[in-house]
Amino acid sequence: MRNNFFGLLVLLMVSSTAHADLDVVITGADTAASPIAIVPFAGLAANEVDMAKVIDADLSRTGQFRTLSRSSMPEQPSDPSAVNYSAWRAVNMDNLVLAQAKHDPATGKVQVRFYLLDAVRGGAPLMAYDMPAVMPNQLRYVAHQISDLIYQKLTGIPGAFTTKIAYVAVNGLGAQRRFELVVADYDGDSPRTIAVSREPLMSPSWAPDRKQLAYVGYERGRQAIYIQSLSTGQVRKLISEKGINGSPAWSPDGRSLAVTLSFETNPDIYIIDVATGARRRMTDQYGIDTEAAWSPDGQYLVFTSDRGGQPQIYQIPVAGGDAKRITFVGKQNLKASYSPDGKSLVLVNYDDARYRIALLDLASGAMKIISDGPLDESPSFAPNGMVVIYATQDRRGVGLATSSLDGRTRLRMSQSGEVHEPVWSPKTQ
Amino acid sequence: MLKKSLIALVTVLAMAGCASKGAHNAQDNAIPTPVDNSSTAGIGSNTDGAPVQIGDMNSSGQDVGLFDAAAKANVIYFSLDSSDIDSAGQTVVDKFARYLQANPTTKVRIEGNTDERGSREYNVGLGERRANAVVSALRTKGVAAAQLSVISYGEERPAAQGHDEAAWAQNRRAVIVRQ
């Protein structure tokens, strides 16, 4: 980005963003990260969300920005006219974000005006927006909207900060075990449980319109794939054959689901028409074929297969044809899915006794490891392709983390219980 | 709806000066997306109903095999990435084969399980492979197919909670459960 000249200096001065509830790990010298300061918003009540903190976490998580801690800020202005640019240049900031919130006693609503400033050149704001007036409980969403606007302005790439994630939360062992399917903001905030079961819930998959989720459940000793409307809560059982009914993956056009069924011989990939239930068998091979994912153009599926011995990733044309192995680096590769531009896969790579998240460049075949393991799984791209979310295990237990594409910026989320299988929603259309 | 109440951007501020950036394209003047929902509300709707329930919330006894008195006698353990039945497992199979042949109306379900390593859906496949291995072993001993059914839980229902080989060895198992 701009002013990379200052990047190295900033590295020495800024340790990391300081958040009590978020664990940001920045590794390696990241001179490409653009230094930005999100000044605390003026005019917010003490019991209202700290919007600057939300934006700070949004931008930090991408790895493309390095934010300035509050204790290092030379001043905390809320209007461009009050900014002392030389003081910000002294702490090597490229950009500043300032804002002021105004409460309307008549409506109870809050309106936020924010400014994005060029700290190096000064001058008029790069952006100056009045956000829509909202009730105070919507201010977190407005903060994510501001992150989207800043991110797009500074990178040219649409932000994904107003998206959602779905995940599975588990508590207890044996007969006490409880499974919940949860939908939350992309950063884990505002979780809402949409399904509960004392038997496993697995493998959530978003419909492209993000109004429905497909997932796997168990009912009286039998597996089934369900489709649930998020607005009405209505659930439809799509299929429940003998054996495995797993790995639902919505096609990009929303008309069909790729699934894993084992009732005919052993686990194979099928495509089911959501409206009619008609199904087509895509693989018929000794061994386990599962974890199908669609290419963004709907032309290919990738899936995990152990037909060659160890599980590896294979690709098959949806129109029909032979499956072709596409992973050759690592003892095992599992659970692949495409980047939004279709040029790479994110997957789980097993080597050196560690399961780690990796990116596979489809053109070159190059594999880039972006997490440390040892038991990382279920990676999913953000809809803008700039961040990956996955499940990890560390001293805090089993939970979710995000990584920038270079693997240098990782952020561990805080959630109670055992949390896994995060899947990132599409953007609203 | 909110789009109408959206207050226009502060164009005056945005347009004054700043020639050096030369970056004032249409993007700068874009109107922010209206807030169509609280981030706490459901997607595409304000409905915020109770979660749906999948399966039976009451204890049906169908999956308490691990915890009943016979727990140690109905579990066959496997080594890593394997569905081979060892001699200890064969002893369990032989015992159930005799029992099921003597009680031809009794039906059992074989539940396949894995440790936590590897991806979750692949492990469902591996668990099914283990359960099928137990079915084959029982069939070889003369048990009728109609007495046997299979379900795989993959890594979803561990018997031991740790993240080490001791726990994983406990979790790589098939459990024979009376139906």
Side-chain angles (χ1 to χ4, degrees):
Chain A
M1 244 158 276
R2 292 171 305 118
N3 304 309
N4 287 342
F5 172 73
F6 292 112
L8 279 169
L9 288 172
V10 170
L11 249 191
L12 302 173
M13 301 180 60
V14 184
S15 54
S16 78
T17 53
H19 291 313
D21 57 340
L22 296 170
D23 185 7
V24 184
V25 179
I26 298 172
T27 58
D30 195 356
T31 54
S34 173
I36 188 167
I38 319 296
V39 177
F41 287 19
L44 288 170
N47 63 348
E48 287 167 351
V49 63
D50 185 340
M51 296 177 73
K53 187 173 163 183
V54 172
I55 295 165
D56 191 306
D58 283 344
L59 297 178
S60 297
R61 197 178 268 112
T62 65
Q64 295 165 278
F65 294 91
R66 188 175 301 281
T67 56
L68 187 68
S69 70
R70 287 179 183 179
S71 58
S72 305
M73 290 180 185
E75 57 179 4
Q76 298 196 351
S78 61
D79 190 273
S81 62
V83 172
N84 175 0
Y85 286 96
S86 62
W88 292 99
R89 279 193 289 272
V91 291
N92 301 302
M93 287 297 101
D94 277 7
N95 293 104
L96 296 184
V97 175
L98 322 176
Q100 31 191 279
K102 285 207 176 72
H103 292 75
D104 181 346
T107 62
K109 290 187 169 181
V110 186
Q111 185 177 33
V112 174
R113 171 178 294 185
F114 85 91
Y115 303 91
L116 173 65
L117 305 179
D118 183 329
V120 179
R121 292 184 182 84
L126 301 175
M127 301 182 91
Y129 276 12
D130 279 349
M131 300 300 286
V134 297
M135 297 307 288
N137 66 0
Q138 296 179 308
L139 286 171
R140 178 176 291 275
Y141 190 85
V142 172
H144 289 311
Q145 287 186 308
I146 292 173
S147 296
D148 272 347
L149 292 164
I150 293 168
Y151 184 82
Q152 174 135 24
K153 174 68 186 170
L154 294 178
T155 69
I157 301 163
F161 305 113
T162 56
T163 52
K164 301 270 180 180
I165 53 170
Y167 58 84
V168 177
V170 188
N171 285 287
L173 261 187
Q176 303 307 313
R177 204 155 168 85
R178 289 289 180 280
F179 295 81
E180 294 181 34
L181 183 58
V182 182
V183 171
D185 289 355
Y186 96 100
D187 58 1
D189 202 87
S190 309
R192 180 166 76 101
T193 299
I194 67 153
V196 294
S197 180
R198 52 191 301 280
E199 299 202 65
L201 294 173
M202 295 178 68
S203 305
S205 171
W206 290 92
D209 66 3
R210 87 175 201 178
K211 291 176 178 161
Q212 303 174 90
L213 276 176
Y215 57 90
V216 174
Y218 290 70
E219 224 171 323
R220 297 175 197 283
R222 205 172 168 110
Q223 233 185 357
I225 294 171
Y226 302 88
I227 294 176
Q228 180 168 343
S229 159
L230 290 172
S231 56
T232 66
Q234 193 171 29
V235 179
R236 170 187 164 200
K237 194 188 289 182
L238 179 73
I239 188 164
S240 184
E241 289 290 353
K242 194 168 147 255
I244 293 171
N245 299 261
S247 279
W250 231 292
S251 65
D253 66 8
R255 289 185 188 147
S256 44
L257 285 170
V259 302
T260 301
L261 304 173
S262 68
F263 73 105
E264 292 194 87
T265 45
N266 51 41
D268 279 308
I269 310 293
Y270 294 72
I271 292 177
I272 302 186
D273 185 296
V274 174
T276 67
R279 61 179 171 239
R280 183 156 69 97
R281 190 173 187 174
M282 297 303 296
T283 67
D284 179 3
Q285 173 77 30
Y286 173 79
I288 297 166
D289 290 346
T290 190
E291 298 173 343
W294 298 77
S295 62
D297 63 7
Q299 301 293 302
Y300 293 93
L301 294 174
V302 287
F303 60 96
T304 307
S305 176
D306 63 0
R307 61 186 64 188
Q310 294 287 318
Q312 294 288 350
I313 304 302
Y314 291 73
Q315 184 187 55
I316 194 168
V318 170
D322 291 335
K324 163 179 100 165
R325 181 173 164 180
I326 56 172
T327 50
F328 299 93
V329 180
K331 272 180 77 173
Q332 299 183 356
N333 288 285
L334 304 126
K335 182 74 178 159
S337 55
Y338 281 88
S339 60
D341 66 7
K343 290 178 180 166
S344 59
L345 300 180
V346 66
L347 49 76
V348 179
N349 175 272
Y350 178 65
D351 223 348
D352 303 327
R354 285 188 289 180
Y355 291 90
R356 293 178 292 181
I357 308 305
L359 298 174
L360 174 70
D361 183 86
L362 287 168
S364 70
M367 185 90 78
K368 181 177 174 52
I369 307 282
I370 61 167
S371 79
D372 292 335
L375 289 164
D376 296 341
E377 62 179 12
S378 303
S380 167
F381 271 106
N384 67 357
M386 300 308 289
V387 179
V388 169
I389 193 166
Y390 59 100
T392 191
Q393 285 190 18
D394 57 20
R395 62 195 150 73
R396 293 156 67 175
V398 182
L400 308 184
T402 59
S403 175
S404 58
L405 297 188
D406 61 10
R408 283 174 174 161
T409 305
R410 295 193 212 127
L411 195 146
R412 180 73 158 80
M413 297 183 186
S414 303
Q415 279 134 329
S416 63
E418 199 178 298
V419 177
H420 45 74
E421 294 201 271
V423 273
W424 216 308
S425 81
K427 294 198 78 166
T428 41
Q429 285 148 354
Chain B
M1 23 139 208
L2 277 161
K3 207 163 194 166
K4 284 191 172 168
S5 66
L6 191 151
I7 298 171
L9 55 162
V10 191
T11 21
V12 178
L13 288 167
M15 291 172 70
C18 200
S20 65
K21 274 307 291 170
H24 280 282
N25 54 26
Q27 181 57 46
D28 294 10
N29 299 331
I31 293 167
T33 335
V35 180
D36 59 352
N37 246 323
S38 156
S39 64
T40 56
I43 291 167
S45 158
N46 290 318
T47 306
D48 196 27
V52 300
Q53 186 189 309
I54 302 297
D56 188 352
M57 224 43 190
N58 299 314
S59 181
S60 61
Q62 66 183 16
D63 54 359
V64 296
L66 277 176
F67 297 89
D68 66 29
K72 286 191 177 61
N74 68 342
V75 182
I76 296 123
Y77 295 97
F78 296 88
S79 45
L80 177 61
D81 283 334
S82 168
S83 54
D84 297 338
I85 297 172
D86 64 12
S87 59
Q90 191 61 47
T91 304
V92 177
V93 167
D94 292 347
K95 187 191 76 174
F96 270 89
R98 285 193 297 274
Y99 177 84
L100 289 168
Q101 284 176 296
N103 298 276
T105 57
T106 299
K107 293 184 175 182
V108 295
R109 183 170 65 236
I110 295 98
E111 301 177 347
N113 296 274
T114 69
D115 66 32
E116 64 183 341
R117 288 172 293 174
S119 56
R120 307 190 91 89
E121 286 279 5
Y122 179 74
N123 280 339
V124 172
L126 192 53
E128 186 184 67
R129 192 179 275 168
R130 285 176 179 156
N132 283 335
V134 174
V135 167
S136 297
L138 288 166
R139 297 274 291 127
T140 301
K141 292 286 177 181
V143 177
Q147 288 177 273
L148 307 172
S149 65
V150 159
I151 184 86
S152 175
Y153 289 115
E155 64 180 278
E156 307 301 323
R157 300 188 73 87
Q161 205 159 22
H163 305 294
D164 52 21
E165 180 49 42
W168 293 333
Q170 292 290 305
N171 294 333
R172 291 190 300 262
R173 71 203 193 280
V175 185
I176 303 176
V177 182
R178 284 182 186 79
Q179 283 194 284

